[in-house]
Amino acid sequence: MAQKIRTDEGVLRIVPPPGQAAPLPKAGEKNILITSALPYCNNVPHLGNIIGSTLSADVFSRYSRTRNWRTLYICGTDEYGTATETQALKEGITPRELCDKYWILHKETYQWFDIGFDHFGRTSTPLHSEISQEIYSNLGKNGLLERQEKEQTYCEGCPKFLADRYVEGICPHCGFEDARGDQCDGCSRTLDAIELIKPRCLVDNTHTVTTRTSVHMYLKLNDIQPRTEEWIKQSWSRGKWSPNAVINSDGEIIDARLKKGLLPTPLTRDLKWGVPVPVEGEDIHGMNGKVLYVWFDAPIGYPSITANYTPEWKQWWFNPRDVDLYQFMGKDNVYFHTVYWPSVQIGDGRDWTKLHHLSTTEYLNYEGGKFSKSKNRGVFGPGAKETGIPASVWRYYLLSSRPETADAMFSWSECIAANNNVLLNNFGNFVNRALKFVSSQYASILPENGDAPGPYSPNDPLDSEFITSVNALLKDYIDAMDSVKIRLGLQTVMLISMRGNNYLQSSGLNKALIASNPTRCAQVISRAVNLIYTLSALIYPFMPATSEAILAQLNAPARAVPEVLSNDILGGHTIGTPGHLFKKIEDNMAEVWRIKFGGTENAQVSAAATPDPLKAAPGQSKKASKKSAPAASILPDGPKSPEAIALEAKIAEQGQHVRELKARTPKTPELDADIKSAVELLKALKSELEVLKQS
C-alpha cells in the first residue's frame, strides 16, 4: 500500500524498541538508564507489584524512546538470601531450582503485560558475584568495614546458625505464637530472632534452638553519612524525587534514620545461598564460609545484570556526566535506593552513575483489602490473562489508578468502566470513526486538502481553536512525562482524544459535508487522521499493543512525540484496514471476577463456568444480556455526544479523587468532610450523565 509520510528530522521514531539492541550512551546526547526494583524470586508478582515498579518503569522507558533518547531499561530477579532459602525449604527443592522456576514465571508475566526490558536478568550469576565481591573489597580497602560479634540463634539439631526467617516463636511484645524471626504478623513489630520466646527451628521444630556468638562484617555507614547527605541534596536538586522520599520539597532531609544518625550495618550472613564473602590469604576476620547479606548484594544486581547484557556496561554505570539514572519502586524501597545503595557507591570510591530521578508509588490494595497469596486473594501473575481482558486494558486501568501520592484501591467495577467508558467510547470511538470514514468515503486513500506538510498554523482561519488547544495539551503531556507524572500524562492523552471526538462532531463530518464542501471535508478528515498519528505516539508508552494496532490501521511507521500538531500523513496516502481497538466488557463480569479472585473465604468459580467477558452471559443471547444489564450498559456503542464524553471523563477523574481521599490516613473530621463532599459531587455527575443519556 502506498505511503506518503513526512520524514523530516524528528518526525519518526529511530530509537529501537526495548530488547532489540544494546544501546550505548553518547556524549552530548540524552542518555536514560532505567531500573525497576528487583522482584524477589520466591513468589509470583501481583498487580500492586507490577504497577509499583516494572510497569511504571516500562512506561517511562517507552516514552524516552518516543523522544528518541538513548535508553536502557534493566531489571531481573533478586535471588539470594533467607527468603529464597525458606521458600525452597517449604517447596522441597533447592534454592537454585526455586529461582529457575520463579524467574520463568516472572518473565512470562511481564511479557504478557507488554513490559519491555532491554534485559531481564537475575542476580545468581558469576558476574554478579564478581562485581559484588569487588565492591566489598573496595569498601575494606577504604577503611569502611569493621568486624563485630553478635548473638545469633543457633540450632543444635541442624547444626548451624539460623537466619531470622528460619526461626519462629512467641512474640515478646504481643504473645503471638507464630512470630517470625524478623517480624511479628500479630503486632507488625520488627524483631531480632534472639528476642523470641520458645524459639523453634523451621526445619524441624523438635530441634533445640539456643544462641551462640557469630562474627560478621559491618559497613560503617556512620562514616559515610556526611558525604551521603551532601549527595542527596545535590541529586534531589538536579533531578525530581517523589514526595515520599528522604528529603522534603524544601530540601530538608527528613528520614528518621539519617536524622538520628546512621549506624554500622551488617554486610554478611551465615547462609549457604548467596555470594561468598571474598577472603584473601589468612582468614583473620573469620569470614570464610559466610555470604554477603542480600540487602547489600541486591542493588548491585542493577549493574551486574547490565554486565550480563553488554560487556560495555561500565559506559552506563561509571558515566555520571552523560547518563541520567531513573529508578522506579514502591515506597518501602526508598531508603535502600536513596541512602543505603548510594552510600555503598560512595564508599566504593569509583565514579558511579547514581540516582538522578526517583519515582515511587504508594500501595495498590485490592477491593477493600490487601493482596494475599496465602489466601489466594487478588490477581497474581497469570490471573490477569485468565480473565480474557487484554493486556492493554489492564495497563490502562492500572496506570490510570497509579497510586502516586496515596494508596489506591483496585476495583473490578471501575476496571470495566475504564474499558467501556474511556477506552471504547472515547479513544477507540475517535480512531474508528475517522478511519472508517476514510475507508468508506475515500476508498482508503487520504484526500488532498491543500495543507502544506509540517506543523499546522495556530492562526488557521477555520481550526485555530482546535490546533491551539491540541498544542497546549501536547505541551502538558510532555511536561508531565518529563517529570514522570505518569497518571497525568495518561489523562492528557485521553483529553486529546476527547478533543478529536469534539472536532469531528463540531465540524459536522459526514457524507453531506463531502457533497456540500468537499475541500473542507478533506481538510477535516486529514487533520483528524494526523491527530490519530500523534495519538499513536502518545499512547505507545502506556499501551504499546494499541499503538501498534493504530499504526497498522494507518499503514504508517512509528512516530516520535511531536511538540505541535503537524501534517505528517499526506494526501494520497493509503491507510490500512480500520478495526475496533477495544471490545465492551459486560458489567455482570465484575461479580464473577470478585468471586473468582476473592480468596479462600469466597466460593471459587471454575474456569468452565466463567463467561467470556466480551460476550453475553452464559445461557443468554446478547439481547437478553442487555435487558438484564444496568441502564448504562444498554446504550448503543456508537458515537457519543461531546457532552457525554466530557462527563464520563469527569466521572472517572472524580472517582479516582474519591479513592485517593478514602485511602488517606489518619482519618480526621476534615478528611471525612472532604470525602463526603467528593462523593456528593461524584453522585451529581453520574446523575447528570444519566439525564443526558435518557434525553
Side-chain angles (χ1 to χ4, degrees):
M1 292 184 291
Q3 288 185 334
K4 292 195 68 176
I5 308 287
R6 187 168 72 95
T7 57
D8 297 0
E9 184 178 357
V11 173
L12 301 183
R13 194 192 317 155
I14 58 175
V15 174
Q20 289 199 6
L24 294 176
K26 189 174 181 180
E29 295 189 8
K30 199 169 181 71
N31 307 291
I32 306 295
L33 175 58
I34 299 170
T35 71
S36 51
L38 306 182
Y40 275 129
C41 200
N42 66 341
N43 213 325
V44 292
H46 58 65
L47 297 180
N49 304 138
I50 290 168
I51 187 58
S53 57
T54 51
L55 177 55
S56 296
D58 179 63
V59 171
F60 190 72
S61 164
R62 293 180 185 275
Y63 170 71
S64 297
R65 297 166 206 270
T66 66
R67 298 297 302 279
N68 282 327
W69 299 336
R70 291 172 177 268
T71 305
L72 181 66
Y73 176 23
I74 292 296
C75 191
T77 44
D78 175 11
E79 302 195 351
Y80 285 133
T82 312
T84 300
E85 277 198 359
T86 305
Q87 186 63 30
L89 186 67
K90 290 178 180 178
E91 297 193 19
I93 56 180
T94 67
R96 168 61 68 188
E97 290 170 336
L98 182 92
C99 292
D100 289 345
K101 167 187 171 180
Y102 282 108
W103 183 83
I104 293 172
L105 286 173
H106 274 266
K107 196 168 189 293
E108 289 177 344
T109 297
Y110 302 136
Q111 282 178 338
W112 186 82
F113 273 96
D114 287 332
I115 295 173
F117 310 103
D118 285 290
H119 184 60
F120 185 76
R122 52 201 307 184
T123 58
S124 61
T125 66
L127 269 176
H128 179 76
S129 294
E130 178 184 319
I131 295 170
S132 299
Q133 290 168 340
E134 183 179 15
I135 293 173
Y136 176 89
S137 297
N138 286 342
L139 293 171
K141 292 173 185 176
N142 294 334
L144 294 170
L145 299 183
E146 68 178 24
R147 181 180 184 273
Q148 290 189 17
E149 294 186 355
K150 183 182 177 183
E151 287 287 300
Q152 280 186 235
T153 50
Y154 184 86
C155 178
E156 296 181 352
C158 282
K160 65 178 182 181
F161 285 101
L162 297 177
D164 293 343
R165 292 201 181 190
Y166 274 101
V167 192
E168 291 181 345
I170 300 171
C171 176
H173 303 289
C174 71
F176 183 69
E177 293 191 355
D178 295 317
R180 300 193 312 270
D182 58 350
Q183 187 176 30
C184 173
D185 288 337
C187 63
S188 297
R189 294 199 192 190
T190 55
L191 300 172
D192 188 316
I194 61 172
E195 299 178 74
L196 293 174
I197 301 168
K198 295 183 179 179
R200 56 186 183 272
C201 174
L202 191 65
V203 178
D204 187 335
N205 60 17
T206 65
H207 287 175
T208 299
V209 176
T210 182
T211 59
R212 288 190 185 181
T213 300
S214 181
V215 295
H216 287 287
M217 277 301 207
Y218 282 66
L219 173 63
K220 293 190 280 187
L221 286 177
N222 49 318
D223 285 2
I224 306 172
Q225 180 169 348
R227 288 180 285 166
T228 300
E229 290 191 0
E230 180 184 358
W231 168 81
I232 288 173
K233 292 177 180 178
Q234 291 176 350
S235 179
W236 168 83
S237 65
R238 285 196 301 264
K240 294 185 176 72
W241 289 20
S242 297
N244 54 6
V246 295
I247 186 170
N248 65 19
S249 57
D250 296 323
E252 177 189 359
I253 291 178
I254 57 175
D255 182 81
R257 283 164 284 200
L258 284 169
K259 294 182 76 173
K260 188 177 180 181
L262 297 179
L263 300 172
T265 185
L267 295 190
T268 60
R269 278 290 186 265
D270 289 305
L271 291 173
K272 297 298 182 185
W273 181 243
V275 176
V277 176
V279 177
E280 297 179 7
E282 186 182 355
D283 184 21
I284 58 174
H285 296 299
M287 293 297 111
N288 195 34
K290 299 180 187 293
V291 301
L292 296 177
Y293 189 20
V294 67
W295 276 115
F296 172 68
D297 88 86
I300 299 172
Y302 299 129
S304 79
I305 290 170
T306 311
N308 276 282
Y309 177 53
T310 171
E312 304 298 329
W313 65 278
K314 290 184 178 180
Q315 291 192 37
W316 284 104
W317 282 101
F318 292 100
N319 192 358
R321 284 162 296 281
D322 296 321
V323 175
D324 287 336
L325 171 60
Y326 288 71
Q327 296 196 288
F328 293 78
M329 69 208 70
K331 62 181 177 182
D332 53 332
N333 270 321
V334 169
Y335 169 81
F336 290 96
H337 289 79
T338 58
V339 178
Y340 183 89
W341 168 232
S343 295
V344 170
Q345 291 177 300
I346 291 167
D348 172 83
R350 290 175 287 179
D351 196 15
W352 282 90
T353 301
K354 301 184 191 71
L355 174 67
H356 170 73
H357 187 112
L358 174 74
S359 181
T360 67
T361 60
E362 303 291 313
Y363 295 132
L364 177 68
N365 295 315
Y366 179 81
E367 289 270 328
K370 292 184 177 181
F371 289 86
S372 173
K373 185 61 180 175
S374 62
K375 295 180 180 178
N376 199 29
R377 189 173 190 278
V379 182
F380 286 78
K385 183 178 180 180
E386 293 171 5
T387 65
I389 299 175
S392 286
V393 176
W394 276 112
R395 287 175 64 108
Y396 172 78
Y397 175 65
L398 291 173
L399 292 164
S400 67
S401 308
R402 186 174 186 252
E404 295 179 349
T405 56
D407 291 355
M409 191 68 66
F410 175 87
S411 162
W412 285 110
S413 297
E414 290 174 4
C415 178
I416 293 172
N419 177 81
N420 294 347
N421 298 341
V422 182
L423 294 179
L424 180 63
N425 292 334
N426 173 8
F427 192 94
N429 175 65
F430 170 55
V431 174
N432 188 251
R433 181 180 176 186
L435 295 186
K436 283 186 73 174
F437 194 86
V438 177
S439 175
S440 62
Q441 303 305 313
Y442 294 102
S444 297
I445 299 173
L446 199 65
E448 299 285 352
N449 66 86
D451 284 337
Y456 293 116
S457 171
N459 300 315
D460 185 88
L462 295 175
D463 289 331
S464 61
E465 191 275 332
F466 165 66
I467 294 166
T468 301
S469 65
V470 169
N471 288 347
L473 287 169
L474 283 171
K475 183 181 184 305
D476 290 345
Y477 172 84
I478 291 171
D479 289 346
M481 296 301 288
D482 282 357
S483 301
V484 200
K485 294 179 179 178
I486 290 174
R487 198 175 69 201
L488 178 59
L490 182 55
Q491 290 171 351
T492 307
V493 177
M494 295 304 148
L495 288 174
I496 292 174
S497 69
M498 186 186 302
R499 191 66 190 83
N501 272 308
N502 293 345
Y503 176 63
L504 295 183
Q505 196 78 13
S506 62
S507 300
L509 182 71
N510 53 31
K511 292 181 182 179
L513 186 62
I514 297 179
S516 64
N517 193 341
T519 301
R520 175 58 178 161
C521 190
Q523 186 179 65
V524 169
I525 194 61
S526 175
R527 292 175 177 182
V529 166
N530 275 286
L531 180 57
I532 292 171
Y533 195 26
T534 295
L535 283 169
S536 73
L538 304 186
I539 202 65
Y540 172 74
F542 307 97
M543 305 166 71
T546 300
S547 175
E548 290 168 6
I550 294 171
L551 291 175
Q553 293 182 30
L554 288 171
N555 180 34
R559 203 207 189 287
V561 168
E563 294 186 357
V564 295
L565 183 62
S566 302
N567 184 24
D568 303 314
I569 300 182
L570 309 175
H573 175 86
T574 303
I575 68 167
T577 304
H580 292 287
L581 296 173
F582 309 101
K583 295 181 179 179
K584 184 176 181 180
I585 301 175
E586 294 300 329
D587 293 332
N588 62 356
M589 291 305 301
E591 189 57 31
V592 173
W593 287 323
R594 279 194 194 98
I595 296 171
K596 180 177 176 66
F597 296 99
T600 52
E601 64 267 24
N602 288 324
Q604 298 296 305
V605 176
S606 69
T610 302
D612 185 335
L614 306 178
K615 296 180 179 178
Q620 287 185 319
S621 65
K622 288 187 178 180
K623 185 175 181 181
S625 151
K626 290 191 174 184
K627 283 182 179 179
S628 63
S633 68
I634 64 174
L635 293 169
D637 290 339
K640 292 192 174 186
S641 69
E643 294 83 359
I645 293 170
L647 268 174
E648 286 174 344
K650 287 181 181 178
I651 289 169
E653 184 177 353
Q654 186 65 15
Q656 178 62 28
H657 179 56
V658 170
R659 288 195 299 274
E660 290 180 354
L661 286 175
K662 289 183 176 180
R664 289 182 187 173
T665 55
K667 301 299 182 185
T668 63
E670 293 80 6
L671 179 58
D672 290 339
D674 288 344
I675 293 172
K676 183 178 180 181
S677 176
V679 170
E680 289 301 319
L681 177 56
L682 180 61
K683 289 179 179 178
L685 289 170
K686 289 181 176 179
S687 297
E688 186 179 347
L689 180 61
E690 283 304 311
V691 171
L692 183 64
K693 286 178 176 179
Q694 291 169 10
S695 64

